[in-house]
Amino acid sequence: MRRLALILMMTAPLFADSSRRLEREVTVGASRAEVWKAWTTADGARFFTPAAKIEARPGGAYEMYFNPEEQPGRRGGEGNRVIALEPERMMLFSWNAPTKFGPLREERTYVLLQLEDAGAGRTRIRLTHFGWREGKDWDAVYDYFGGAWTWVLAQLEKKYP
């Protein structure tokens, strides 16, 4: 956790309003290793996206293709990167809005994923989405992801009841 605190402190200027966060938490019936693979491999990420490009290393791609048949730039979470990770414990990655949000799609927010043992082969997942800006357009993106992350974690719970 000390390493995570240092990373967040060093990258704090990147995050616009650190008080505005989306926070979600679930506990699933799988080990940290299994849950880690679900978030850090293209095959594993199929619990919420049909295709992905994931390079689980700092600076690596973290792209989710919700519409893989579309032309580049319209396939989904393109251009996102892994910022930091500690295998089977945490990953910090950039994130962007869907195309329907126009120019805000080119902006980046950040997602912190934390995994911890929850006993009896179970894992607690904490997801924090932050880096939001102000304004009604940003409010719409924030509201969108409020529902989207709830859905994503529900899909993970279905995969690992």
Side-chain angles (χ1 to χ4, degrees):
M1 279 302 164
R2 189 185 284 182
R3 182 176 177 205
L4 174 60
L6 179 61
I7 290 166
L8 292 175
M9 187 173 69
M10 289 172 42
T11 57
L14 297 173
F15 312 132
D17 180 357
S18 62
S19 66
R20 188 174 187 192
R21 299 169 181 261
L22 287 169
E23 297 177 306
R24 300 290 183 269
E25 182 177 312
V26 296
T27 299
V28 298
S31 69
R32 272 197 342 251
E34 290 173 284
V35 174
W36 183 254
K37 286 179 186 174
W39 286 94
T40 61
T41 66
D43 188 49
R46 288 190 182 150
F47 77 90
F48 78 104
T49 187
K53 179 180 180 184
I54 300 173
E55 301 165 339
R57 60 175 171 74
Y62 199 75
E63 300 186 347
M64 301 299 151
Y65 306 135
F66 300 103
N67 302 299
E69 303 304 319
E70 286 284 345
Q71 63 184 345
R74 301 192 57 81
R75 294 180 291 181
E78 296 167 276
N80 296 309
R81 297 275 174 218
V82 174
I83 297 167
L85 56 80
E86 184 176 341
E88 296 184 18
R89 296 211 176 270
M90 78 86 185
M91 181 169 55
L92 177 65
F93 55 90
S94 63
W95 201 247
N96 62 343
T99 56
K100 72 180 184 176
F101 292 103
L104 291 186
R105 177 167 171 70
E106 299 307 315
E107 300 291 329
R108 293 291 186 262
T109 53
Y110 304 91
V111 177
L112 175 62
L113 185 71
Q114 296 172 284
L115 308 179
E116 63 182 51
D117 291 327
R122 300 179 62 76
T123 301
R124 180 176 300 110
I125 299 103
R126 288 190 178 116
L127 184 145
T128 305
H129 190 165
F130 58 104
W132 304 99
R133 281 54 150 209
E134 295 295 324
K136 67 179 173 101
D137 292 340
W138 277 103
D139 292 345
V141 177
Y142 181 88
D143 291 344
Y144 170 84
F145 280 113
W149 288 123
T150 299
W151 180 85
V152 167
L153 292 178
Q155 300 313 299
L156 189 62
E157 286 179 303
K158 286 179 187 175
K159 179 177 175 112
Y160 301 117

